[in-house]
Every structure is written in structure tokens, then in C-alpha cells.
Amino acid sequence: MKPAGTRQRSVAATDGVAGSSWLRRWSVVVMLLLFMLINYGDKTVLGLAARPIMHEFGLSPSQYGLLSSSFFFLFSVCALGVGLASSRISTRWILLVLALVWAVTQVSVVAAGGIGLLLASRIVLGAAEGPAQPMALHAAHSWFPNTKRNIPSALIVGGGALGGAIATPLLTVVIVHFGWRAAFLTMFLVGCVWCLLWLVIGRDGPADQAPAAAVPAGTGRVPYRRILLSGTWLGGFVGAFGAYWTSTLMVAWLPPYLETALGYSTAEAAAITTIPWVAGLILTFAHGAITQWLLHLGVPSRIARGVLGGGVLLLAGVAMLLLPLVTQPALRIVLIALAFSFHGVTFANGQTVNSEISPPAQRGAVLSVSVALVTVAGLLAPYLTGRFVEAADRPAAGFATAFAIPGILMAAGGLAAMIFVRPERDARRIAALALPLPENRETAR
């Protein structure tokens, strides 16, 4: 018979991390899910209000595309800077400051009298939202061991899809009945409420002090190039880039595409746009649960995270390429759901893999570097789409060209993930290079 202390440690190892209660862990995860819900609501509101904003300020498609792209002017730089700072500053306070900045940018739009203030608010909003997802995942992963991270990751990334599913219809109602400025004011109030709750609930977790299977416990470091040039990181990068391109198109251009190219009304476009958000939420959580179950059964991470994750991304890429060729309305909606709903799976799975191969002390920085590079797609996608639409004889032709880019990227990235993502192998290689913090100087080079 095992001693009581041994039994308690075994329970902690299978259900969480020693020193963390079930209620505390999942309360933090729920708050992080809501954090990402607000994050996507803040981004989505501009796309939902695109037509009245373009009409009020006399914007052409390329000008609106530039306004949408401005969100990413400082996105990558701030994601990288905050990620590097996260090894020295509590994630709890980083997340609070980010949410406060979001709220301020939303309320500033209410007083906008021209495109200048709109442009400035989007740039600042993007700067504060750049670090959001990696910091939220970093915070969640500090409460769970490696084999238990897929479901929390799926929930947090799925918070974006939940935000789209909830925010799209509700903000559309606000825009239709009260005007587009009221929608931005609504997001300001929601952000303030979250900040108050986070002050009470938010905490950093103890998981980084617990031993992991592939990466030694403690704060050992390796040169970042060893992580970023690994087959696992590179194998996931192309697909994540394509997935983020798709995510940005969904926020900025899917409602205008449905209205201008396909002839749907504003209400119909909002309803159709909600479908991939809801599907994405379900698929992201289902994929996370299946992956975690496979890992529990002893399936290698290469299969559970690499092959499975790459396969669904390949499916999304094929759906995106077929979308402009289909004219049957029901089939077109199915392809929209497939093409625009799997990016959440890619983000959750990819960042969990990046956590798996990263030493704990460098995890926040690696997740942020990944986001900083991947989200360059967000800077390019809205503006280039606007140029394609403006240059084409008809909007549908411009969108067909615009959709081909993420379709090819996602299909190629899915194949790359299935072949090159090998987390266990790369985690062992990286861990073998790790040195205790006082002795390691390479990371400063």
C-alpha cells in the first residue's frame, strides 16, 4: 500500500501540478478564455461596421484594407518585446495592462471625427493585442504539465471563436439599432469588467517548477536559434502563417465578401459569418480533447499533434481553394465553414507544440516570437485583398485571387507539419543543450 503522500503526488501528476487546486487552475483558464473572447470582439467590430464606416468617411476598398492592416503595424514588434519581457515580469500584470489598453482604444473610437483617430486607435489596439495569445497560453501552461495542455490551449484559442460567435450577432444588432460607435463603446465596457475580475482571480501558476518528461525542470536556457531552426518549429510555421492569413481575412473581409461579392444582406452576412466561428470553437476543443486523449493512450506527440494537426490544416487549405469555384449556395457555405474554422486548431496545437520543445524560462519568448513572425500575414492580408478587389473587373474575381494565397499556404503548411513536426525528438535535442541560467551566456548573444 502506497503512503498517503505518494498517492497525493500521483493525483497531482495526473490531474494537474502540485501546489495548484482544480478550482484555481480552471478559474484562471476561464478568465483567459474570456480574455481571448474580448480580444476577438475588439478586432471583429471593425469588419462588422465596415460598410457604415466606409460610407461615413468615404473610404475606397484599398483605404479600408489599409485601415484593417494598420492593426498589425506594431503587432509583431510588441508581441516580441512583451514576450522577451515575460521572463522578468509577472504574466498576471502583463495581461491586465494589455486589457486596459484595449478598453481605452475602443472608447477613443466613439469620439472619432475622421479616419485619423480610427487609424491611430487600430495601431495602438494591435500593439496591445500582439502579445495577447502567447501571453494567455504562457499563463495557462504555467498551471499544467505538458501532457495536459491541449485542452486548456484549445479553450483559450477557442475563446477567439467563441468571441466571434457571440460578438458577431450581438454587435451586429448594436450596429443596426444604435450605430457603429455604440458597438465600440460596448467593447470598452466589457473590457473594464474583465480587468476588475482579473485583479481578483488572476495568478501565475506553479507548473514551471515541476519536472517534465522531455525538458528538465528549472530555468535552463538554450540559444533561441536552436529552437526556431528545429524541424518542429519550422514545420509548423508555414501552416500557421497561412492560418493567420485566413483568420485576418475572416475578421476584415468575410462580411464584405458575403455582401458585395455574393449579394447577401448585412443580417444574412452576419449569420453566415457566425457559422465558422461556432464551427471553429467546436473543432478547436474537439481537436484538443482528441489530441490529449491520444497522448494519454501513449500515442507519440509526432502523430497526435503533428500528423493530426497537419491533416486538418490541409483540409482547410483545399476548402479555401475550392470556395471561389463553387456556385451552389449550400455547398459554398460548407466550404466557408471548413476554410475559415480550422485556423484556431492550428494556433492551439502549434503553440502547444512550441511549448513542448521550449525550456520553461524561454517559453513565453518562444510563443511570442512565433506570433510576431506569423502575424506578418495579418499586416499583408487585408491590404492586398483590398487591392485585388479594387483591381478586378468584379468583386468576386478579386476575392478569388485573394483566397488562393491562404489556400496554398495552408495546404503546403499542413503537409509540412505532417512530415517535419517531431516534438519529442526536438525537445530531447534542445533539452540536451540547456545550461543552468548562471552558466549560460549564449542566449544573450
Side-chain angles (χ1 to χ4, degrees), residues 33-383:
L33 183 154
L34 295 174
F35 177 78
M36 294 306 299
L37 186 156
I38 296 169
N39 174 283
Y40 270 73
D42 289 341
K43 288 186 287 191
T44 302
V45 65
L46 181 68
L48 295 173
R51 289 186 70 183
I53 288 175
M54 292 173 71
H55 175 75
E56 180 170 335
F57 297 112
L59 304 180
S60 68
S62 61
Q63 288 174 320
Y64 168 73
L66 179 62
L67 179 62
S68 296
S69 289
S70 69
F71 177 83
F72 294 96
F73 285 178
L74 298 176
F75 193 99
S76 297
V77 173
C78 290
L80 180 59
V82 173
L84 293 173
S86 66
S87 62
R88 300 176 179 85
I89 303 173
S90 168
T91 312
R92 178 194 185 197
W93 298 114
I94 290 175
L95 293 172
L96 178 64
V97 171
L98 295 178
L100 284 172
V101 174
W102 300 351
V104 171
T105 61
Q106 297 302 300
V107 76
S108 68
V109 174
V110 177
I115 190 175
L117 187 54
L118 277 175
L119 188 67
S121 70
R122 294 301 289 183
I123 293 173
V124 175
L125 177 64
E129 290 203 5
Q133 188 189 87
M135 289 300 97
L137 290 171
H138 180 40
H141 291 176
S142 72
W143 288 93
F144 296 87
N146 173 54
T147 57
K148 298 292 183 180
R149 288 174 178 165
N150 271 88
I151 288 179
S153 296
L155 286 171
I156 291 167
V157 174
L162 182 61
I166 294 175
T168 297
L170 293 182
L171 290 176
T172 299
V173 170
V174 173
I175 291 168
V176 170
H177 292 284
F178 303 101
W180 62 268
R181 285 180 173 83
F184 285 88
L185 180 60
T186 299
M187 293 309 305
F188 161 72
L189 296 174
V190 171
C192 290
V193 171
W194 185 90
C195 289
L196 293 174
L197 291 173
W198 182 248
L199 282 172
V200 177
I201 298 173
R203 295 291 186 277
D204 294 330
D208 294 344
Q209 306 306 316
V215 181
T219 54
R221 290 178 178 269
V222 300
Y224 284 104
R225 67 178 183 275
R226 298 291 188 180
I227 302 171
L228 301 180
L229 293 178
S230 66
T232 295
W233 190 91
L234 291 172
F237 174 74
V238 175
F241 192 88
Y244 204 87
W245 193 294
T246 301
S247 174
T248 308
L249 284 185
M250 183 177 174
V251 171
W253 279 109
L254 184 56
Y257 165 69
L258 293 169
E259 294 178 46
T260 60
L262 302 185
Y264 290 101
S265 68
T266 300
E268 290 170 334
I272 294 172
T273 302
T274 302
I275 293 173
W277 285 120
V278 174
L281 175 64
I282 296 171
L283 291 170
T284 301
F285 181 76
H287 179 272
I290 292 170
T291 300
Q292 194 156 303
W293 175 67
L294 291 174
L295 292 171
H296 177 73
L297 293 179
V299 175
S301 185
R302 176 190 175 189
I303 304 298
R305 288 173 173 162
V307 174
L308 182 59
V312 297
L313 186 61
L314 175 61
L315 175 62
V318 172
M320 183 71 81
L321 292 170
L322 292 176
L323 177 56
L325 306 178
V326 172
T327 58
Q328 209 281 331
L331 180 56
R332 184 187 286 148
I333 291 174
V334 170
L335 290 176
I336 287 173
L338 289 174
F340 287 97
S341 61
F342 279 113
H343 59 265
V345 171
T346 301
F347 299 150
N349 188 64
Q351 290 289 60
T352 306
V353 167
N354 290 336
S355 280
E356 183 176 356
I357 66 174
S358 302
Q362 294 172 273
R363 184 179 62 227
V366 171
L367 299 185
S368 296
V369 169
S370 302
V371 167
L373 295 175
V374 164
T375 53
V376 172
L379 179 62
L380 300 173
Y383 178 68

Side-chain angles (χ1 to χ4, degrees), residues 23-42:
L23 180 60
R24 171 62 71 183
R25 289 195 306 274
W26 288 103
S27 295
V28 170
V29 169
V30 169
M31 286 300 298
L32 294 172
L33 183 154
L34 295 174
F35 177 78
M36 294 306 299
L37 186 156
I38 296 169
N39 174 283
Y40 270 73
D42 289 341

